[in-house]
Amino acid sequence: MMIQKYLILFVIIITSNYSIWAQEQEKIDSLLDVYQKQKQDSSKVKTAHALYDLYYGHKPKLALQYSLEGLKLAKKINYTKGIAKSYNHKGAYFMISREIDSSKYYFTKSLNLYNSLNEKYEAGLVTYNMIQLHYVTADYNKALKSISEAMEMYTKPNTDSIIMMKLFLISAKVYMRQTEYNKGFESALNALNIAEALKLNVEKIKIKSALASLYHYTDNKEKSIEIKKELLTFYQKENNRRKIGLTLNDLGNSYYVIENYNVAINYLEESLRYSEEVKNHSLIGITLFNIGKTHVRMGQIQKGIDYLKKSIYYSKNISHHPLSESWALKKLGDVYTEELNIPDKALPYLNRAIELADSIGNKDDLYQTYRDRSEAYAALGMHKKALEDHITYKNINDSVYNMEKSKEIERLKTEFETKEKEQEIVLQKNEINLLEQKAKVSNLQKLLLGIGLLLSLLVVGFGYYGFRQKIKRNKAEKEKLDNELAFKKKELTTHALHLARKNEVLENLKQQAQELKTAQNTGGYQHLIRTIDFDLQDDNNWENFSNYFQQVHKDFNSKIKEQYPKISATELRFLSLVKMNLSSKEIASILNISNEGIKKARYRVRKKLGLNANESLEALILSV
C-alpha cells in the first residue's frame, strides 16, 4: 500500500514537472527563434541577456554562454550598457561557482561602467550583488557596512524603492546569521511592505524565504515548513532548479528539527541531486552536513560521520564556506563525545569550529560549540577548562537570547501573521461582495422572467439559494478570522506583561550584583549566585507543580516508572511537561536549559523509551 502511495506521488510529480518543463521550453524556443533572426545590434544583446535570465536557474553554464555572446556583440557595437550587464552576469556566475576573486573583479568592472553612465538603478543592482558576495563568504560585518552605505545612497536625495527592498532583504539574511533575529524580522518586514506596495509577487516569494528561515531559528518550525512548502510549489512552477534545491534542503532541515528523520532524509537527498546538477557548491556543503547529522540521529553513526567529513572537506576546499564548515566540525565533535564516548578525538574538531564561528561572528554556533567542548573537557576530567567553557557558553547564550529580543521578535512575528490574516479577510470581503452582486442580478432576472417561465425561475431560485449559502459561509469565515486576530493581539499583550515582570526581577538581581561587585564583596557576590541557583532549582516550586499535575494526570508518574524504570527523576520532569503538550521553548524556560539542551534531553529520553525514528515521543506520552 505504501509503495503504491509513493508510486502515485512520483507519477504526479513527474507529470507536473514535465508540464512545467514544456511551458518553459516553449518560452525559450520562442526567444531563441527571435535571437537567431535579429540583426547585430543592441536588441540582440538584450535578447542574449534575456536568455541568460531564463537559463540561469537550471543551466548556469549555458546562461553564461549567451551572456558572453551578448558581451562580444556589445563590445563590437560599443554598447556600454550591454557590456556592463554582461560583466554583472559573469560576476553572478562566478559567485555561485565559488570563484570569489573573479566574481569580485567582474562586479567591480560592471559597477564602474554603470557609474560612468550615471545608471543609478543598474549600479544599485550590482551593489546588491556585491553585498551578496560578502554574505555567501560569511563576511557579515563587511556586508552590513556596505548595506549601510548603500542605503544612504539610495535614500538621499531620491529613494529607489526596489533597491531599498533588496537591501532590506539581504540585511535580514545577514542579521539572521549574526543571531540578531529581531533586526532580521524587522528588515524582512520592511522589504515585504515595499514588495506589496509595488505588487512584486516574485520578490515577495524571496522575502518569504528569508522569513521562513527566521521562523526556523526562532523555534516556530511549523510556520517555517508552511512557508517553505509554498515556496517549493512556486519554484517548481518556475523550474528554478537552484531554488528548488535550496528549498528542499531547508525543508529537510526543518523536519530534522521536529524529529521526522525519514521525511527529512528524503528531502535532503533530493536537494543534493538538484544542487549537484546545477553545481551549487555552497549548498552542496550545507546539504552534506544536514544529511550527516540526520543519519546520526537515525542511529547510523558511521554513515553520518562519513557525510560530515565530506561536508568539512567540501566546505573548506571547494565552496570555501566557513559557516557550513563550522557546522560540520561542531557536529562531528558532538558525535565523538556523545555517541562514541571518545572526547579526546572530539577536541580538534570543536577547537576549529570555535575558531571559525568566532571569525565570522556567528554567536549561535559559537555558544553551542563552547557548551559541547565543555562537555568534552568534563568527560576527560579537565574540570577547570570545562568550567571556563561553560561560563563562556552561558555569557554568549545570554547575549543572544535575552528577554528584550524575545519580546521584540514575538511582536514582529505577530505583525507578519496579522498582515497575512488581514489579507485573507480582504479576499473574503471581495468574494462576499462579488456573491452579493451576483445575488442582486439573480433577483432582477427573476422579476423579469415572469410566471410563464416557471422552470427557469426554479433553476435561478436554486442558484440564488446556493449563492446565499456561500455568502453565509464566507461571512462566518470572516468572523472566525476577526476572532483569531483579536485573540492573537490579546495573547501578545499577556506575553508582554509576563516578560515585563521577568525583566523587573532580573533588573533587581542585576543591581544587587553590581553593588556587590563595586564593593568588591566576593563572599556576597558568591552568595547572590548561590541564591539565584537555589531559586532556579527550588524543589518546592516543582513539588507544587507536581501535586497539581498528579491531580490532572492521575498515575502518570507511577506508570512511567513502572514501564520505563531507567527514566531518571529529571527526565520524569521533562516527560511531565511533554504530557502537558508544551512547546520546546516553554519546556526549556521552565527547566532553565537551552533549546539545544531540550534536543539532547529528547534524544536521551527517546533512547530510554526505545523509540525508533518513525515513532513520536509526544504520541507515546499523551497515550499514557
Side-chain angles (χ1 to χ4, degrees):
M1 191 68 181
M2 186 62 72
I3 294 172
Q4 289 177 339
K5 179 181 176 183
Y6 281 112
L7 183 60
I8 292 168
L9 180 61
F10 175 76
V11 171
I12 291 171
I13 291 170
I14 291 296
T15 305
S16 173
N17 285 344
Y18 177 79
S19 175
I20 292 165
W21 176 84
Q23 293 173 12
E24 186 76 10
Q25 193 60 43
E26 185 179 349
K27 189 189 299 182
I28 291 173
D29 289 343
S30 175
L31 205 56
L32 283 171
D33 185 56
V34 171
Y35 183 67
Q36 295 299 329
K37 296 174 182 177
Q38 281 180 311
K39 296 178 181 180
Q40 300 287 305
D41 57 16
S42 61
S43 296
K44 187 162 188 171
V45 176
K46 291 175 182 177
T47 306
H49 292 155
L51 285 164
Y52 169 91
D53 292 334
L54 282 173
Y55 279 118
Y56 180 75
H58 60 288
K59 293 183 179 179
K61 276 192 175 179
L62 187 55
L64 182 64
Q65 176 186 318
Y66 281 106
S67 186
L68 292 177
E69 288 181 11
L71 176 61
K72 184 177 180 181
L73 177 56
K75 286 182 175 179
K76 182 179 178 181
I77 63 176
N78 199 27
Y79 178 37
T80 309
K81 192 172 179 179
I83 297 170
K85 191 157 194 170
S86 291
Y87 284 153
N88 187 33
H89 288 165
K90 290 185 76 172
Y93 174 81
F94 286 124
M95 179 167 62
I96 65 170
S97 61
R98 308 300 289 185
E99 297 176 63
I100 306 303
D101 290 339
S102 296
S103 177
K104 185 178 179 181
Y105 172 78
Y106 283 107
F107 281 147
T108 303
K109 290 190 74 170
S110 176
L111 183 62
N112 289 339
L113 282 177
Y114 278 131
N115 284 334
S116 70
L117 295 170
N118 200 27
E119 291 281 353
K120 189 175 179 183
Y121 173 75
E122 298 291 347
L125 294 178
V126 181
T127 301
Y128 167 74
N129 281 339
M130 295 180 83
I131 294 168
Q132 276 196 306
L133 189 61
H134 297 321
Y135 172 75
V136 299
T137 55
D139 196 347
Y140 301 130
N141 290 330
K142 196 164 186 178
L144 286 175
K145 182 181 177 184
S146 298
I147 289 168
S148 177
E149 291 171 353
M151 282 187 170
E152 282 288 319
M153 185 183 301
Y154 285 92
T155 53
K156 296 177 182 178
N158 297 314
T159 301
D160 192 308
S161 297
I162 293 179
I163 302 300
M164 287 298 294
M165 176 193 67
K166 289 179 174 292
L167 293 173
F168 278 127
L169 174 57
I170 192 67
S171 63
K173 294 179 180 179
V174 174
Y175 282 132
M176 180 184 69
R177 290 301 182 204
Q178 291 197 318
T179 67
E180 295 283 355
Y181 300 123
N182 55 330
K183 292 181 180 179
F185 269 107
E186 187 175 7
S187 295
L189 289 174
N190 284 335
L192 188 61
N193 288 336
I194 296 173
E196 287 177 344
L198 298 176
K199 294 181 171 56
L200 301 173
N201 291 329
V202 174
E203 297 300 327
K204 282 167 66 176
I205 290 293
K206 294 177 183 178
I207 297 161
K208 280 192 172 184
S209 177
L211 283 164
S213 297
L214 285 161
Y215 269 107
H216 176 88
Y217 283 106
T218 53
D219 203 29
N220 195 336
K221 308 302 183 293
E222 290 75 16
K223 183 66 177 178
S224 178
I225 288 171
E226 176 191 325
I227 298 173
K228 288 170 185 174
K229 285 185 174 179
E230 179 187 343
L231 296 174
L232 182 60
T233 301
F234 175 83
Y235 292 133
Q236 286 172 335
K237 287 179 180 177
E238 294 289 311
N239 195 29
N240 189 328
R241 304 180 82 76
R242 283 180 57 79
K243 293 293 186 180
I244 292 171
L246 176 63
T247 311
L248 287 168
N249 172 76
D250 289 346
L251 276 166
N253 194 31
S254 289
Y255 277 105
Y256 164 85
V257 173
I258 62 173
E259 300 178 5
N260 197 336
Y261 302 126
N262 286 330
V263 173
I265 207 73
N266 288 336
Y267 275 119
L268 293 170
E269 288 176 348
E270 187 70 6
S271 170
L272 188 60
R273 283 192 286 273
Y274 273 96
S275 299
E276 288 175 341
E277 176 194 328
V278 299
K279 293 183 171 51
N280 189 343
H281 298 303
S282 176
L283 186 58
I284 291 171
I286 293 170
T287 309
L288 287 169
F289 156 69
N290 284 330
I291 292 174
K293 71 179 184 182
T294 306
H295 280 304
V296 169
R297 282 295 173 87
M298 295 173 78
Q300 300 164 353
I301 307 301
Q302 189 54 53
K303 196 170 184 180
I305 289 173
D306 291 342
Y307 271 102
L308 291 171
K309 286 184 175 179
K310 285 180 184 177
S311 174
I312 292 169
Y313 175 83
Y314 206 95
S315 300
K316 183 179 180 180
N317 299 296
I318 299 175
S319 65
H320 309 293
H321 199 287
L323 185 62
S324 59
E325 185 185 351
S326 71
W327 288 342
L329 287 163
K330 173 192 168 298
K331 186 60 185 178
L332 196 54
D334 186 51
V335 170
Y336 281 122
T337 302
E338 287 286 327
E339 307 296 335
L340 301 178
N341 197 25
I342 316 176
D344 55 328
K345 198 166 183 178
L347 285 176
Y349 295 108
L350 296 172
N351 292 339
R352 176 61 179 159
I354 286 173
E355 180 185 335
L356 285 172
D358 189 39
S359 69
I360 61 179
N362 186 359
K363 293 181 182 178
D364 204 20
D365 291 302
L366 186 62
Y367 90 83
Q368 292 180 42
T369 313
Y370 270 114
R371 180 205 57 221
D372 291 350
R373 195 172 71 176
S374 172
E375 292 176 359
Y377 279 138
L380 289 167
M382 304 168 70
H383 300 299
K384 184 178 179 181
K385 287 188 173 183
L387 179 60
E388 288 172 355
D389 272 5
H390 184 75
I391 291 170
T392 305
Y393 146 68
K394 287 292 292 179
N395 289 338
I396 299 173
N397 181 45
D398 291 344
S399 73
V400 172
Y401 298 102
N402 60 59
M403 292 297 176
E404 284 301 317
K405 283 185 179 179
S406 297
K407 184 166 63 175
E408 178 66 7
I409 287 168
E410 290 304 316
R411 182 188 71 77
L412 292 165
K413 279 183 180 179
T414 303
E415 183 181 330
F416 171 63
E417 289 161 19
T418 301
K419 186 187 292 288
E420 284 191 320
K421 292 291 184 184
E422 287 172 346
Q423 288 176 347
E424 288 180 31
I425 290 172
V426 169
L427 290 174
Q428 292 289 341
K429 283 181 177 179
N430 290 340
E431 188 170 355
I432 288 169
N433 290 336
L434 180 61
L435 290 170
E436 287 176 341
Q437 288 173 8
K438 287 182 179 180
K440 288 177 181 178
V441 171
S442 180
N443 281 330
L444 181 60
Q445 287 175 340
K446 286 192 293 181
L447 291 172
L448 295 174
L449 285 174
I451 299 173
L453 300 174
L454 181 60
L455 184 60
S456 298
L457 183 62
L458 286 173
V459 172
V460 173
F462 281 123
Y464 173 72
Y465 175 78
F467 281 132
R468 295 303 298 175
Q469 289 298 108
K470 193 168 184 181
I471 289 170
K472 288 179 181 179
R473 287 196 297 272
N474 278 283
K475 284 184 175 177
E477 181 65 22
K478 176 184 176 296
E479 289 172 4
K480 181 182 175 183
L481 290 170
D482 286 338
N483 290 335
E484 286 178 6
L485 280 174
F487 175 78
K488 193 68 181 179
K489 290 173 182 176
K490 183 178 178 182
E491 184 185 52
L492 180 63
T493 303
T494 302
H495 184 66
L497 291 171
H498 177 66
L499 290 176
R501 174 58 185 158
K502 278 192 175 182
N503 287 343
E504 184 180 345
V505 173
L506 291 172
E507 186 62 28
N508 289 336
L509 289 174
K510 180 181 175 182
Q511 290 175 3
Q512 291 179 42
Q514 189 62 44
E515 289 170 5
L516 290 171
K517 186 176 180 181
T518 304
Q520 297 184 345
N521 185 346
T522 307
Y525 188 76
Q526 293 299 324
H527 175 70
L528 177 58
I529 292 173
R530 286 194 298 272
T531 301
I532 295 169
D533 288 340
F534 179 79
D535 286 341
L536 290 173
Q537 300 171 5
D538 185 4
D539 285 334
N540 289 334
N541 291 332
W542 183 261
E543 186 177 347
N544 292 334
F545 166 83
S546 183
N547 291 335
Y548 175 77
F549 179 86
Q550 286 289 5
Q551 292 174 23
V552 178
H553 304 285
K554 295 184 184 298
D555 302 324
F556 175 82
N557 289 354
S558 59
K559 286 180 181 177
I560 289 292
K561 289 177 181 176
E562 180 182 341
Q563 295 177 36
Y564 309 102
K566 290 183 180 180
I567 293 294
S568 67
T570 301
E571 289 163 343
L572 188 58
R573 292 185 180 188
F574 171 77
L575 291 177
S576 299
L577 297 171
V578 173
K579 178 70 174 177
M580 292 179 66
N581 207 20
L582 296 176
S583 69
S584 295
K585 185 175 181 181
E586 290 167 334
I587 295 173
S589 177
I590 292 169
L591 296 180
N592 192 39
I593 59 177
S594 67
N595 288 335
E596 190 66 17
I598 285 292
K599 292 177 188 175
K600 289 196 172 186
R602 291 174 66 88
Y603 182 59
R604 290 165 181 161
V605 165
R606 288 176 65 88
K607 270 190 170 182
K608 290 188 177 181
L609 298 183
L611 295 175
N612 60 40
N614 296 322
E615 294 177 300
S616 167
L617 172 64
E618 284 77 9
L620 174 64
I621 297 306
L622 290 173
S623 68
V624 174

